[in-house]
Amino acid sequence: MSGNPSNAPILAAHHICHTYSGPSGDVVALDGVTLDLSRESFVCLVGPSGCGKSTLLRILAGLLKPSRGQATLDSHLITRAQRRIGVIFQKANLMPWRTVYGNLALPLQLIGVPANEQARRTQAMLELTGLNRFAGAYPAELSGGMAQRVAIGRALIHDPEVLLLDEPFGALDALTREQMGEELLRIWARHRKTVLMVTHSIPEAVLLADRVLVMSPRPGQVVLDLPILLPRPRTLDLLHQPEFVALTERLRHHIRPN
Amino acid sequence: MDSDTTATKSHPHRRPPDTPFSADSAEHAPALHSTPRLRAGWWRALLAPGFGVLLLVLWDVVAQSGLYADFIVPSPRAVADRWWDLAGDGSLTRHMAVTLREVLVGLLAGVNAAFWSGYLIAKSRLVANILMPYLVALQAVPIVAIAPLLIIWFGPGFTSKVLICALLVFFPMLVNTVLGVRNIPSELRDLMEALESTPLQTFWYLELPASMPIVIGGLKVSATLSVIGAVVAEFVSASEGLGYLINFGRGTFDTPLVIAAVFTLTVVALALYGLASWLERLLLAWQNAGRSVHN
Ligand SMILES: Nc1ncnc2c1ncn2[C@@H]1O[C@H](COP(=O)(O)OP(=O)(O)O)[C@@H](O)[C@H]1O
Ligand SMILES: [Mg+2]
């Protein structure tokens, strides 16, 4: 153990391989992925579609058992899903029979938080996500961006230390997407979570992350680990700065060498 | 990207805004056009009852024509009088209560058994492999054919009637429960798993509400079938109940009694269906969220 625990990796993957077997033969999705996330860092994972990013995230979340290798949380083997790791999926994945309030409160109900504490924290989350006016609305009444905001609020409400996001803004239009990215940054800066986010947008990755990991086409491996040393707080103004453009170009070449 | 995009907060609409060309913009239409439309609505509301009255008149004409004997086609008035007599001396309520009790207990028992076996079948491939062939075979057996057997085994009383009723409502409820529980999105199961939910919590917070729309669909079918079940059982052997009343009326050439009992049965079946629909509206109110407004 190092003397400074905040620098020790909180989440790590060691030589993870994963093979899906299907009727049309076996698919090797991951082939020896090793990575570690230091505490309170924001790491983005990019790579061509189908290279195994979602598979890796599901393994780290404890929702999928890898064929080989292991994932650890604070050096403990991850054998099943746990509340210390919050997961946000590509689809908002809300319960259509629950209101915004009910969806936000779900994790607290499952944990068994006392009712008055539940109400207080749900109210605070409604304010943080800017959904106050929609507390009583059902998911069918929400726009895509608002639904995804509920999903983020639901993942944050029980205060997990690690957040895993699988293309959380993938289904949103460009404008909403930028706005949500900034909101995520704001929340992350306030609550200091460890974040691993899969995205297919290179500018988004550079804008948000301390580190960008690039995966190779299937079978997936981490082929580049690029630190992003741009100063924070970052805003969309960065998008036109030469350093920013240089970083995105570099990443783009790694993903598509030609 | 312009820097002022960052300052722009979105103001999401709660519902998509009405398009100017939508068909429901009646208030923008000239008054001349809205009046005939209103009248058309009135006509539509009168069509179904009007058709009913027409059938009643036709029935009366045929009955009065003398083509058929009274005990074959009694007049609507004769049927109404018979019904009124039965209601007056309390025998209608007595027979109806008997049938209703069989129906309700049978429905509840059958629906309960079907829900839990459906749930187990949906959750466990092993249970599905063991039980499904027999359940399908059971469905293939005509209930009317095994009703006498059940009466031999369980006697002509309440128990055999409830069993026949429960058997009849079992299958539609079972099929819908299996479908409902199997169709729960795996992403929602992942969510529950990521939150370390217990099996009981997963049932209560996810599986029950998520399968409810399809399960209630099964309940509605079962509710109507339950009346058929009770009547079939009473046909085979009974000394009371609306099914018995029909059988008795047939035997004594009391056709008005038969028709009056059939009408009463229809009312019972409709009331049960209405009850299930009411339950549906109560439990599935969320399904109306986000619908656009038409008319
Ligand atoms: N449940 C599954 N069964 C079989 N193959 C799968 C399954 N999930 C993903 N795959 C395959 O594994 C590969 C990686 O998938 P995924 O992790 O979803 O990639 P990404 O998220 O990077 O697009 C793909 O080729 C995909 O077809
Ligand atoms: Mg994916």
Side-chain angles (χ1 to χ4, degrees):
Chain A
M1 265 284 156
S2 74
N4 186 351
S6 70
N7 282 341
I10 177 166
L11 188 69
H14 309 278
H15 314 288
I16 286 185
C17 301
H18 195 78
T19 307
Y20 290 107
S21 54
S24 53
D26 290 357
V27 176
V28 182
L30 296 173
D31 186 20
V33 173
T34 296
L35 58 84
D36 53 63
L37 303 189
S38 47
R39 211 170 285 275
E40 297 181 3
S41 63
F42 197 129
V43 178
C44 279
L45 184 64
V46 296
S49 162
C51 73
K53 304 181 293 293
S54 299
T55 305
L56 179 61
L57 230 62
R58 288 177 57 81
I59 289 169
L60 291 173
L63 293 169
L64 185 69
K65 194 174 146 26
S67 311
R68 250 181 308 135
Q70 47 194 237
T72 56
L73 178 67
D74 271 337
S75 319
H76 295 292
L77 200 64
I78 297 172
T79 51
R80 58 191 192 91
Q82 39 198 304
R83 289 181 191 138
R84 287 180 63 196
I85 302 177
V87 192
I88 298 176
F89 306 86
Q90 176 163 7
K91 287 195 296 177
N93 203 15
L94 303 177
M95 293 180 165
W97 58 90
R98 285 183 163 237
T99 60
V100 167
Y101 187 98
N103 271 287
L104 284 175
L106 176 77
L108 303 179
Q109 285 180 308
L110 293 178
I111 293 169
V113 173
N116 55 347
E117 172 78 0
Q118 261 185 43
R120 192 186 61 73
R121 282 165 74 175
T122 310
Q123 195 54 44
M125 194 48 75
L126 280 170
E127 266 144 41
L128 181 73
T129 50
L131 290 161
N132 238 325
R133 279 171 51 229
F134 299 94
Y138 285 94
E141 300 171 292
L142 303 177
S143 68
M146 286 161 69
Q148 200 53 270
R149 227 179 288 167
V150 180
I152 292 173
R154 180 181 60 188
L156 287 169
I157 200 161
H158 60 293
D159 210 22
E161 294 155 68
V162 180
L163 273 185
L164 301 177
L165 299 95
D166 192 358
E167 303 195 29
F169 311 138
L172 306 180
D173 60 276
L175 217 64
T176 315
R177 183 180 185 125
E178 283 171 355
Q179 195 192 321
M180 296 286 295
E182 286 207 317
E183 280 183 37
L184 188 64
L185 269 188
R186 188 167 53 81
I187 291 167
W188 171 73
R190 173 116 55 104
H191 297 264
R192 305 307 297 184
K193 308 267 176 219
T194 308
V195 178
L196 177 62
M197 174 169 146
V198 171
T199 173
H200 58 247
S201 158
I202 294 170
E204 186 174 89
V206 176
L207 184 69
L208 297 176
D210 298 319
R211 265 167 81 197
V212 177
L213 306 176
V214 178
M215 277 176 73
S216 65
R218 192 163 59 81
Q221 280 174 324
V222 177
V223 290
L224 177 68
D225 182 346
L226 184 67
I228 309 291
L229 300 168
L230 299 169
R232 293 187 189 271
R234 300 178 191 162
T235 63
L236 291 171
D237 294 335
L238 262 180
L239 260 56
H240 299 291
Q241 312 266 317
E243 311 96 288
F244 187 92
V245 176
L247 284 166
T248 53
E249 282 309 305
R250 207 173 144 201
L251 285 167
R252 218 180 296 277
H253 276 106
H254 253 276
I255 295 173
R256 267 181 282 132
N258 310 318
Chain B
M1 197 51 56
D2 293 341
S3 63
D4 56 1
T5 7
T6 56
T8 318
K9 274 263 161 242
S10 77
H11 283 285
H13 294 281
R14 204 184 154 120
R15 289 196 172 82
D18 288 332
T19 54
F21 303 109
S22 62
D24 51 47
S25 51
E27 50 191 67
H28 306 302
L32 196 70
H33 289 258
S34 62
T35 319
R37 175 192 280 209
L38 191 71
R39 211 177 278 157
W42 269 100
W43 270 111
R44 225 175 296 163
L46 285 177
L47 278 177
F51 187 60
V53 170
L54 184 74
L55 287 180
L56 214 60
V57 169
L58 264 173
W59 172 13
D60 198 41
V61 167
V62 172
Q64 304 288 338
S65 68
L67 279 171
Y68 304 101
D70 271 356
F71 68 86
I72 293 178
V73 184
S75 72
R77 168 160 287 274
V79 172
D81 286 346
R82 193 73 179 91
W83 192 87
W84 191 248
D85 287 348
L86 283 170
D89 68 9
S91 55
L92 190 71
T93 26
R94 188 166 58 80
H95 288 289
M96 195 168 85
V98 167
T99 305
L100 201 60
R101 200 162 81 97
E102 292 160 3
V103 164
L104 286 179
V105 176
L107 180 65
L108 229 64
V111 153
N112 239 299
F115 179 82
W116 294 111
S117 17
Y119 181 73
L120 285 180
I121 286 169
K123 294 281 282 187
S124 155
R125 192 141 289 283
L126 186 73
V127 176
N129 286 341
I130 294 172
L131 287 188
M132 229 28 203
Y134 297 98
L135 292 174
V136 172
L138 188 67
Q139 168 64 8
V141 176
I143 296 296
V144 195
I146 54 169
L149 196 60
L150 288 171
I151 286 167
I152 292 172
W153 287 342
F154 296 98
F158 184 63
T159 315
S160 57
K161 312 248 172 356
V162 166
L163 269 176
I164 292 164
C165 190
L167 271 176
L168 207 63
V169 306
F170 185 81
F171 209 71
M173 186 68 182
L174 176 89
V175 169
N176 278 42
T177 307
V178 172
L179 271 181
V181 175
R182 279 201 181 145
N183 279 351
I184 296 172
S186 63
E187 293 93 343
L188 281 178
R189 290 199 178 277
D190 284 347
L191 171 77
M192 295 301 279
E193 194 185 334
L195 290 168
E196 296 182 39
S197 99
T198 64
L200 195 67
Q201 285 178 325
T202 304
F203 174 73
W204 182 250
Y205 289 104
L206 175 65
E207 287 163 341
L208 192 61
S211 62
M212 197 49 77
I214 303 181
V215 167
I216 293 229
L219 183 69
K220 283 165 87 175
V221 176
S222 293
T224 18
L225 282 177
S226 65
V227 179
I228 300 176
V231 172
V232 163
E234 285 174 1
F235 276 178
V236 177
S237 157
S239 54
E240 48 186 356
L242 290 171
Y244 160 78
L245 220 53
I246 290 172
N247 233 0
F248 178 81
R250 188 183 54 91
T252 56
F253 298 101
D254 190 351
T255 314
L257 174 63
V258 174
I259 299 178
V262 167
F263 270 121
T264 313
L265 267 176
T266 311
V267 171
V268 169
L270 282 178
L272 273 178
Y273 187 80
L275 197 71
S277 303
W278 172 78
L279 203 67
E280 181 179 38
R281 270 203 302 283
L282 192 78
L283 291 175
L284 303 181
W286 58 269
Q287 285 197 321
N288 290 320
R291 289 226 181 117
S292 16
V293 182
H294 294 293
N295 290 328

